[in-house]
Amino acid sequence: AQKITQTQPGMFVQEKEAVTLDCTYDTSDPSYGLFWYKQPSSGEMIFLIYQGSYDQQNATEGRYSLNFQKARKSANLVISASQLGDSAMYFCAMRDPTGGFKTIFGAGTRLFVKA
Amino acid sequence: DGGITQSPKYLFRKEGQNVTLSCEQNLNHDAMYWYRQDPGQGLRLIYYSQIVNDFQKGDIAEGYSVSREKKESFPLTVTSAQKNPTAFYLCASSIVTAYGYTFGSGTRLTVV
């Protein structure tokens, strides 16, 4: 069965430092997509980054990068040069054909950026 | 600008009432989804639709109903059979097999 696990309920980081948010996943399908979303206190979900299971290189989008370790079924999000506006909930998610192309979400990690 | 509009932003329901949450998109996306989020938790899928006039149950469909009569619209009805409806409801849309979802800004439903 599909599963997404985020083991860090909360994380603190100093402004301008880098932070890694952990995510592990489980699926029996060789073809899948991994996503990270940001949810500020206002509630909307913002798509950050995508990694396909067959992509050879780790995905990057500005200050966001995805550390994809396929053998370990790990898809950690790295935020470089943290900003106060990065304080939010972050959700790891997965989508695969086994699940009918639905997306399942982890429980989330709340990130606090300190000034 | 294209996007997803959810209304209302806040909704109060009395015990035993049905309420309908609106979700409209102008992105020309075929697929639409309804998720429920409880405090401090991730999103759980209620219903989804990949084409007009067709929809499937998600993981927590009991007590909810949907319709997909138009590509742009995917309303969710929370029925009196849903015993614990107080939650934050998010609607999303996507190209069926493409990348991430576009989400609406959500509806916060409270039972009073």
Side-chain angles (χ1 to χ4, degrees), chain A residues 65-110:
Chain A
S65 61
L66 200 153
N67 184 2
F68 182 44
Q69 299 187 40
K70 195 170 183 176
R72 297 178 61 183
K73 294 191 174 180
S74 159
N76 298 340
L77 177 71
V78 180
I79 305 175
S80 63
S82 297
Q83 302 172 356
L84 295 177
D86 293 336
S87 293
M89 281 289 285
Y90 289 83
F91 292 95
C92 181
M94 179 175 68
R95 192 175 187 187
D96 70 24
T98 303
F101 295 104
K102 304 187 300 291
T103 298
I104 62 166
F105 290 79
T109 295
R110 184 168 294 281

Coordinates of all heavy atoms in Angstrom, one line a residue, chain A residues 65-110:
Chain A
S65 N 15.3 22.3 -2.9 CA 15.9 21.2 -3.6 C 15.3 19.9 -3.0 O 15.0 19.9 -1.8 CB 17.4 21.2 -3.7 OG 17.9 21.1 -2.4
L66 N 15.2 18.9 -3.8 CA 14.7 17.6 -3.3 C 15.9 16.6 -3.3 O 16.4 16.3 -4.4 CB 13.5 17.1 -4.1 CG 12.6 16.1 -3.5 CD1 11.2 16.2 -4.1 CD2 13.1 14.7 -3.7
N67 N 16.2 16.1 -2.2 CA 17.3 15.1 -2.0 C 16.6 13.7 -2.2 O 16.1 13.1 -1.2 CB 18.0 15.2 -0.7 CG 19.2 14.2 -0.6 OD1 19.5 13.5 -1.5 ND2 19.8 14.3 0.6
F68 N 16.7 13.2 -3.4 CA 16.0 11.9 -3.8 C 16.9 10.8 -3.7 O 17.9 10.7 -4.4 CB 15.4 12.1 -5.2 CG 14.6 10.9 -5.7 CD1 13.7 10.3 -4.9 CD2 14.8 10.4 -7.0 CE1 13.0 9.2 -5.4 CE2 14.1 9.3 -7.5 CZ 13.2 8.7 -6.7
Q69 N 16.7 9.8 -2.8 CA 17.4 8.6 -2.6 C 16.5 7.5 -2.8 O 15.8 7.0 -1.9 CB 18.1 8.6 -1.3 CG 19.1 9.8 -1.0 CD 19.9 9.6 0.2 OE1 20.3 8.6 0.6 NE2 20.0 10.8 0.9
K70 N 16.5 7.0 -4.1 CA 15.5 6.0 -4.5 C 15.6 4.7 -3.7 O 14.6 4.1 -3.3 CB 15.6 5.8 -6.0 CG 14.4 5.1 -6.6 CD 14.6 5.1 -8.2 CE 13.4 4.5 -8.8 NZ 13.5 4.6 -10.3
A71 N 16.8 4.2 -3.6 CA 17.0 2.9 -2.9 C 16.5 3.0 -1.4 O 16.0 2.0 -0.9 CB 18.5 2.5 -3.0
R72 N 16.6 4.1 -0.8 CA 16.2 4.3 0.5 C 14.8 4.8 0.6 O 14.2 4.9 1.7 CB 17.1 5.3 1.3 CG 18.6 4.9 1.3 CD 19.4 5.9 2.0 NE 19.0 6.2 3.4 CZ 19.5 7.1 4.2 NH1 20.5 7.8 3.7 NH2 19.1 7.3 5.4
K73 N 14.1 5.0 -0.5 CA 12.8 5.5 -0.6 C 12.6 6.8 0.3 O 11.8 6.9 1.2 CB 11.7 4.5 -0.2 CG 11.7 3.3 -1.2 CD 10.5 2.4 -0.9 CE 10.4 1.3 -2.0 NZ 9.3 0.4 -1.8
S74 N 13.5 7.7 0.0 CA 13.6 8.9 0.7 C 13.5 10.1 -0.2 O 14.1 10.1 -1.3 CB 14.9 8.9 1.5 OG 15.3 10.2 1.9
A75 N 12.8 11.2 0.2 CA 12.6 12.4 -0.7 C 12.6 13.6 0.2 O 11.6 14.3 0.4 CB 11.3 12.3 -1.4
N76 N 13.8 13.9 0.8 CA 13.9 15.0 1.7 C 13.9 16.4 1.0 O 14.5 16.5 -0.1 CB 15.1 14.9 2.6 CG 15.1 13.6 3.4 OD1 14.1 13.0 3.6 ND2 16.3 13.2 3.8
L77 N 13.3 17.3 1.6 CA 13.3 18.7 1.1 C 14.3 19.5 1.8 O 14.4 19.5 3.0 CB 11.9 19.4 1.3 CG 11.8 20.8 0.9 CD1 11.8 20.9 -0.6 CD2 10.5 21.5 1.5
V78 N 15.2 20.2 1.0 CA 16.2 21.1 1.5 C 15.8 22.5 1.2 O 15.6 22.8 0.0 CB 17.6 20.7 1.0 CG1 18.6 21.6 1.6 CG2 17.9 19.3 1.3
I79 N 15.7 23.3 2.2 CA 15.5 24.8 2.0 C 16.8 25.5 2.3 O 17.3 25.4 3.5 CB 14.3 25.3 2.8 CG1 13.1 24.5 2.6 CG2 14.1 26.8 2.5 CD1 11.9 24.9 3.5
S80 N 17.3 26.2 1.4 CA 18.6 26.9 1.6 C 18.3 28.4 2.0 O 17.2 28.9 1.7 CB 19.5 26.9 0.4 OG 18.8 27.6 -0.7
A81 N 19.2 29.0 2.7 CA 19.0 30.4 3.1 C 17.6 30.7 3.6 O 16.9 31.5 3.0 CB 19.4 31.3 1.9
S82 N 17.2 30.1 4.7 CA 15.9 30.2 5.2 C 15.5 31.7 5.5 O 16.3 32.5 5.9 CB 15.7 29.4 6.5 OG 15.9 28.1 6.3
Q83 N 14.2 31.9 5.2 CA 13.7 33.3 5.4 C 12.5 33.2 6.4 O 11.9 32.1 6.5 CB 13.2 33.9 4.1 CG 14.3 33.9 3.0 CD 13.7 34.3 1.7 OE1 12.5 34.5 1.5 NE2 14.6 34.5 0.7
L84 N 12.2 34.3 7.0 CA 11.1 34.3 8.0 C 9.8 33.8 7.4 O 9.0 33.2 8.0 CB 10.9 35.7 8.6 CG 12.1 36.2 9.5 CD1 11.8 37.6 10.0 CD2 12.4 35.2 10.6
G85 N 9.6 34.1 6.1 CA 8.4 33.8 5.4 C 8.3 32.3 5.1 O 7.3 31.8 4.6
D86 N 9.4 31.5 5.4 CA 9.4 30.1 5.2 C 8.7 29.4 6.3 O 8.4 28.2 6.3 CB 10.8 29.5 5.1 CG 11.5 30.0 3.8 OD1 10.8 30.4 2.8 OD2 12.7 30.1 3.8
S87 N 8.4 30.1 7.4 CA 7.7 29.5 8.5 C 6.3 29.0 8.1 O 5.5 29.9 7.6 CB 7.5 30.5 9.7 OG 8.8 30.8 10.2
A88 N 6.0 27.7 8.2 CA 4.8 27.2 7.6 C 4.8 25.7 7.9 O 5.8 25.1 8.4 CB 4.7 27.4 6.1
M89 N 3.7 25.0 7.5 CA 3.6 23.6 7.5 C 4.1 23.1 6.1 O 3.8 23.7 5.1 CB 2.2 23.1 7.7 CG 1.7 23.1 9.1 SD 2.5 21.8 10.1 CE 1.7 20.3 9.5
Y90 N 4.9 22.0 6.1 CA 5.3 21.5 4.8 C 4.9 20.0 4.7 O 5.1 19.2 5.7 CB 6.9 21.5 4.8 CG 7.3 23.0 4.6 CD1 7.5 23.8 5.7 CD2 7.6 23.4 3.3 CE1 7.9 25.1 5.5 CE2 8.1 24.7 3.1 CZ 8.2 25.6 4.2 OH 8.6 26.9 4.1
F91 N 4.3 19.7 3.6 CA 3.8 18.3 3.4 C 4.5 17.7 2.2 O 4.6 18.2 1.1 CB 2.3 18.4 3.1 CG 1.4 18.8 4.2 CD1 1.0 20.1 4.3 CD2 1.0 17.9 5.2 CE1 0.2 20.5 5.4 CE2 0.2 18.3 6.2 CZ -0.2 19.6 6.4
C92 N 4.9 16.4 2.4 CA 5.4 15.6 1.4 C 4.2 14.8 0.8 O 3.3 14.4 1.6 CB 6.5 14.6 2.0 SG 7.2 13.5 0.8
A93 N 4.2 14.5 -0.4 CA 3.1 13.8 -1.1 C 3.6 12.9 -2.2 O 4.7 13.1 -2.7 CB 2.1 14.8 -1.6
M94 N 2.8 11.9 -2.5 CA 3.1 11.0 -3.6 C 1.9 10.6 -4.4 O 0.8 10.6 -3.9 CB 3.7 9.7 -2.9 CG 4.1 8.6 -4.0 SD 4.8 7.2 -3.2 CE 3.4 6.5 -2.3
R95 N 2.2 10.4 -5.7 CA 1.2 10.0 -6.6 C 1.7 8.9 -7.5 O 2.8 9.0 -8.0 CB 0.9 11.3 -7.5 CG -0.3 11.2 -8.3 CD -0.5 12.6 -9.0 NE -1.8 12.7 -9.7 CZ -2.1 13.7 -10.5 NH1 -1.3 14.7 -10.6 NH2 -3.2 13.7 -11.1
D96 N 0.9 7.8 -7.6 CA 1.3 6.7 -8.5 C 0.1 6.1 -9.2 O -1.0 6.2 -8.7 CB 2.2 5.7 -7.8 CG 1.4 4.9 -6.7 OD1 0.2 4.7 -6.9 OD2 2.1 4.4 -5.8
P97 N 0.4 5.3 -10.2 CA -0.8 4.7 -11.0 C -1.5 3.7 -10.1 O -2.7 3.5 -10.3 CB -0.1 4.0 -12.1 CG 1.2 4.7 -12.3 CD 1.6 5.1 -10.9
T98 N -0.8 3.0 -9.2 CA -1.5 2.1 -8.3 C -2.7 2.7 -7.6 O -3.7 2.1 -7.3 CB -0.5 1.4 -7.3 OG1 0.5 0.8 -8.0 CG2 -1.2 0.4 -6.4
G99 N -2.4 4.0 -7.2 CA -3.5 4.7 -6.4 C -4.4 5.4 -7.3 O -5.1 6.3 -6.9
G100 N -4.4 5.1 -8.6 CA -5.3 5.8 -9.5 C -5.0 7.2 -9.8 O -5.8 8.0 -10.0
F101 N -3.7 7.5 -9.6 CA -3.2 8.9 -9.8 C -3.7 9.9 -8.8 O -3.7 11.1 -8.9 CB -3.5 9.4 -11.2 CG -2.8 8.6 -12.3 CD1 -3.4 7.7 -13.1 CD2 -1.4 8.8 -12.5 CE1 -2.8 7.0 -14.0 CE2 -0.7 8.1 -13.4 CZ -1.4 7.2 -14.2
K102 N -4.2 9.3 -7.7 CA -4.6 10.2 -6.5 C -3.3 10.5 -5.8 O -2.3 9.8 -5.9 CB -5.5 9.5 -5.5 CG -6.7 8.9 -6.2 CD -7.7 8.4 -5.1 CE -7.1 7.3 -4.3 NZ -6.9 6.1 -5.1
T103 N -3.3 11.6 -5.1 CA -2.1 12.0 -4.3 C -2.4 11.8 -2.8 O -3.5 12.1 -2.3 CB -1.8 13.5 -4.5 OG1 -1.5 13.7 -5.9 CG2 -0.7 14.0 -3.7
I104 N -1.4 11.1 -2.2 CA -1.6 11.0 -0.7 C -0.5 11.9 -0.1 O 0.5 12.1 -0.6 CB -1.4 9.5 -0.3 CG1 0.0 9.0 -0.7 CG2 -2.5 8.6 -0.9 CD1 0.4 7.7 0.0
F105 N -0.9 12.3 1.1 CA 0.0 13.3 1.9 C 0.5 12.7 3.2 O -0.2 11.9 3.8 CB -0.9 14.5 2.2 CG -1.2 15.4 1.0 CD1 -2.2 15.0 0.1 CD2 -0.5 16.5 0.6 CE1 -2.5 15.7 -1.0 CE2 -0.8 17.2 -0.5 CZ -1.8 16.9 -1.3
G106 N 1.7 13.2 3.6 CA 2.2 12.9 4.9 C 1.5 13.8 5.9 O 0.7 14.6 5.6
A107 N 1.9 13.6 7.2 CA 1.2 14.3 8.3 C 1.8 15.7 8.4 O 1.1 16.6 9.1 CB 1.4 13.6 9.6
G108 N 2.9 16.0 7.8 CA 3.4 17.4 7.7 C 4.5 17.6 8.8 O 4.6 16.9 9.8
T109 N 5.3 18.6 8.5 CA 6.3 19.2 9.4 C 6.1 20.6 9.5 O 6.0 21.3 8.5 CB 7.7 18.9 8.9 OG1 7.9 17.5 8.9 CG2 8.8 19.5 9.8
R110 N 6.0 21.1 10.8 CA 5.9 22.6 11.0 C 7.3 23.2 11.1 O 8.0 22.8 12.0 CB 5.0 22.9 12.2 CG 4.8 24.4 12.3 CD 3.7 24.8 13.3 NE 2.4 24.4 13.0 CZ 1.6 25.0 12.1 NH1 2.1 26.1 11.5 NH2 0.4 24.6 11.8

